[in-house]
Structure formats: C-alpha cells, structure tokens
Amino acid sequence: MVEYRSFRLLASLPRALGAGLRPHVGHAAAAMIQEVRRTVPAYGQPLTGVFGKVLVKSVEYAVRHCIDSMGEPGLSHEPWIEFYRGRGRIEFTEGRDLDALQDSATIGARVAWRAMHPGVVAAGVDPAVISVAAEAIFAYVDELCATAIEGYQQAQAEAEGAVPVRRRRLLELIVQAPEGAATSIAELAGGAGWPLPETAAMVALERAPGAPDFPAGLLGDGVLADLDGPEPHLLTRDPDADLAPLAAELGGWRAAVSPTVPLADAPAALRTARRALLLSGPDVPGPIIWCRDHLATLWLLAEDFLAAELARQSLDPFASLSEKQRERLGETLLAWLETRGGAPEIAQRLGVHPQTVRNRLRQLEELFGDRLKDADDRLGMQLALRAQRLMRAHRPDGDRER
C-alpha cells in the first residue's frame, strides 16, 4: 500500500497559498498536456475520443487536487486514490508501459511548478514555505505514479490470471465451431494475446494408465492446450516445430497430429486426429502419429456407416455365405484386386496352396460374374474390403472378441 507523505506536506502549507494558486490551474494543466504530448511518444496522438478526455481529466484533476489539499488536513483523498489506480488500469489495457506513465508525470510536475512558481513568488510567500511546497509537489507526483502503478499491476495480474482461462475457452470455441462464433473467437484471441492464424493442426492425445503428467512446459506460447478434459488435445500453428521437443518426452502418452488445415476446419481435423489414435502396429512407429502419412487409411476409417453401406452394395454376393467363407473369399478377392496376379502369386501372398486359390477364384467368378470386369465395381469392392480389414485391425480388443 502506498504511504502518502505528500498529503501531510500539502496539509501543512498555508490555506492562502492554495487559494492564490487556484487561478493558475487551467494554465498549468494546459502547459503540462502540451509538454507531455510533445516529449512522450505514447501520448503524442490527437486529443480526441476517450484518449483525449482521459488525459485532460487526469492532468486537470491532479493539479486541482494538489492545490485543494494545501492547508486542508481533513480533505478526503480516497476518490483521488481510486481515480489514479483506475488511470493505471487504463494504461495497461491500452497497451502503454510504465515508463510512459512515469515520464509523463515527471515532466508534468516540472512544467506545473514552472507555471505556478511566478504566482507563488508574487504572493510574497515565505521562502521556507516555498521549499516545503516544492517538496510536497514532487512527492505528490511520485505518489501519484505509485498509485497508478498499483492499478497497472493489479490489471496486469488479473489479465495474466485470465489468460489461461481465455485460452481454454478459445480452444473450446474453435473445436466446437458453434454458429456465429467467429466474432467471439476473434475477441477471445485478442484478450488472450493469441494472434489468430489462418491455418493450424490439431493434436489428439492419449494417456496410458500410470503415465506421468503431460510435459506441458515444453509447449510453445503459440500452442493452445486442453489437458484436463476426457479427450485431451492441442492446437498448433506449426506442428513440426512445436512437437519436436516432445518426441522423446511423451513417456506413456501418444499423440496424433492432423494435417494443417484452415482454422475453420479445426473440428474436422480433431476428429481425424482422434481416429488416428486407433492406428497401431509396425507401420505406425513411435508415440507421435502423423495423419499426413496415413491419409488413405484415415479416409477409409472416417465413417463406419459409410464403410458398411459400401460393403453392402459392393460385396452383396457374400451375404448368403458364412462369416468364415466371407473372410476367406474376401482376402482372396482383395489380393487379386490389389495384384491382378495369377494363382501362384496370390497363393504366396496369402500363404496357401495355389489350387486353393484357383478354387476360390472360381467361386468368386460364380458369385460376382461380369462385375469383376467392371472398373467401378472393382474399385468399390477393393475399398470395401480394405475398409473391413482396417476396421478389424483397429477395432478395440473387446469388440474383436464379439
């Protein structure tokens, strides 16, 4: 809390001194404003709008209150304290630093004393009183600065405490993409000090049982993170750079990184990254899965109902077969579609006897007939069979047993 020595000094001065200086308030305030605007770049803009009103009122109030305090020990200073704390808050919210505030006050005090000194001398004030008045005025300016700095620092602390909350809400809005959220997203981004990028990547995270906390300290300031929700995730402008420090530090965490997309497509990108967490096996090494390396697989896994509908239309001749027959003929059909090879080549790929393959191929010809000669039909069959294979491979263990 600021200790206001200046108020005691001002109260010790003759009341007549304040009365003699009151006619000089307007002249002193105008001279102060002119000099501050000339010498402090942060205040050099035109005296228009809110900026002009706040600057003029701040200077005039400072001069008037200083003079009104002379010879008045009973004067309440609480309104003055609250005003200049608020002035400090304004400085912070408008992006000016403490140097500009302190420079303007110091310059203003010098100009005010210069403007009023002739009036003090003309009033025939005792030199000892003039000395106390000078000491009081400069102490007053120092304490005005200290009061404004209190407000500035309070606003700064509140803003710093609010930034994480704003960032989490910003990420929530981006990934939910509610109707008409663009304005709210832009406002939150400004309040969080996070410039909106044109493109970004989403990172879905998965924590293994017993894994330590996520190494959030390695994330750059440009990364938005939700690490506390049931499905933790990140948003990054530059995934290669932002995730590089994490590669060797994930310890029990897996991360799936979406392609870099326009910010408006972040919800779809996050869905894609979450699907990528289902990927496993020797073809997906390491704790970080890059969706850009598995686009075809992710596309085929995109929607279960679409894969099921494609299978119903393209593989309908399998409908009357048992599950075991469908599986054997399906793997043979897919091998043939992918290689268009003969029985020996397919047999080697499947690990069965060539005669077995020939028997299966004859069955497939009976089931599908001329559809095996149609390019569009063949593509549909191949996509459906590959989707089924991927879903079997990436289905949770509990589902595989059913």
Side-chain angles (χ1 to χ4, degrees):
M1 179 71 178
V2 178
E3 181 182 355
Y4 295 96
R5 173 172 168 269
S6 63
F7 294 157
R8 295 197 304 272
L9 290 171
L10 290 169
S12 71
L13 295 171
R15 185 176 299 178
L17 178 59
L21 292 176
R22 223 165 255 119
H24 299 275
V25 167
H27 170 65
M32 291 165 69
I33 292 169
Q34 181 179 5
E35 186 64 11
V36 165
R37 291 183 62 229
R38 187 183 71 83
T39 57
V40 182
Y43 297 105
Q45 58 186 293
L47 290 175
T48 56
V50 175
F51 167 80
K53 291 179 181 178
V54 169
L55 180 59
V56 170
K57 182 177 180 180
S58 299
V59 173
E60 290 180 345
Y61 188 17
V63 178
R64 187 170 60 253
H65 179 265
C66 180
I67 291 173
D68 289 346
S69 299
M70 293 178 177
E72 296 288 349
L75 184 68
S76 172
H77 301 289
E78 285 306 314
W80 181 92
I81 294 171
E82 288 307 309
F83 178 86
Y84 285 101
R85 279 185 185 150
R87 183 73 172 85
R89 297 178 73 89
I90 290 172
E91 291 297 291
F92 175 78
T93 57
E94 292 189 355
R96 288 184 285 272
D97 59 29
L98 291 171
D99 289 341
L101 178 67
Q102 292 174 303
D103 288 348
S104 66
T106 302
I107 292 167
R110 188 170 62 248
V111 172
W113 178 249
R114 195 162 56 235
M116 292 186 175
H117 189 260
V120 173
V121 174
V125 178
D126 186 274
V129 173
I130 294 176
S131 177
V132 173
E135 182 182 359
I137 288 173
F138 286 102
Y140 179 88
V141 170
D142 288 343
E143 289 165 2
L144 183 153
C145 283
T147 303
I149 289 169
E150 274 190 14
Y152 187 102
Q153 292 174 338
Q154 286 172 358
Q156 189 176 44
E158 289 168 8
E160 288 173 353
V163 164
V165 175
R166 290 174 180 168
R167 285 186 163 225
R168 283 194 296 272
R169 177 57 180 153
L170 174 60
L171 179 57
E172 181 182 339
L173 275 179
I174 290 172
V175 300
Q176 289 181 351
E179 188 73 22
T183 300
S184 298
I185 287 173
E187 290 174 353
L188 269 175
W194 194 78
L196 280 176
E198 292 186 4
T199 60
M202 299 302 304
V203 183
L205 301 171
E206 183 179 69
R207 183 179 193 173
D213 289 342
F214 187 83
L218 298 178
L219 296 174
D221 191 54
V223 178
L224 299 182
D226 179 356
L227 300 175
D228 300 320
E231 295 182 301
H233 54 277
L234 313 172
L235 183 152
T236 165
R237 298 182 182 94
D238 187 348
D240 291 281
D242 289 332
L243 298 182
L246 297 175
E249 305 293 336
L250 286 176
W253 288 80
R254 295 174 72 228
V257 189
S258 81
T260 299
V261 299
L263 195 63
D265 291 333
L270 182 56
R271 291 194 297 272
T272 299
R274 285 174 175 158
R275 282 197 300 274
L277 286 176
L278 299 173
L279 299 178
S280 60
D283 58 328
V284 188
I288 300 180
I289 301 167
W290 295 90
C291 292
R292 65 196 179 201
D293 298 331
H294 307 280
L295 293 179
T297 297
L298 292 166
W299 176 63
L300 288 170
L301 290 173
E303 298 290 352
D304 288 350
F305 81 91
L306 287 177
E309 180 62 18
L310 180 61
R312 188 187 68 79
Q313 292 186 14
S314 299
L315 305 176
D316 56 301
F318 285 169
S320 60
L321 304 180
S322 68
E323 183 175 350
K324 194 170 185 179
Q325 288 174 315
R326 286 197 299 270
E327 184 175 339
R328 288 176 175 174
L329 288 176
E331 68 176 7
T332 302
L333 177 58
L334 181 57
W336 177 77
L337 290 167
E338 289 179 340
T339 66
R340 301 302 297 274
E345 182 181 351
I346 296 173
Q348 185 177 12
R349 178 170 179 163
L350 298 179
V352 298
H353 195 278
Q355 188 57 43
T356 301
V357 172
R358 293 188 187 98
N359 292 337
R360 291 180 186 177
L361 290 175
R362 279 196 296 271
Q363 285 181 273
L364 291 168
E365 288 175 0
E366 292 172 2
L367 288 168
F368 288 91
D370 289 341
R371 290 172 62 180
L372 294 176
K373 300 176 183 178
D374 185 279
D376 290 338
D377 278 332
R378 289 198 306 269
L379 177 61
M381 295 173 201
Q382 185 172 353
L383 292 175
L385 289 165
R386 292 199 63 171
Q388 287 181 344
R389 185 171 66 183
L390 287 167
M391 285 188 286
R392 283 195 299 269
H394 303 303
R395 192 179 300 149
D397 291 340
D399 289 345
R400 292 179 191 175
E401 294 171 2
R402 287 196 289 270

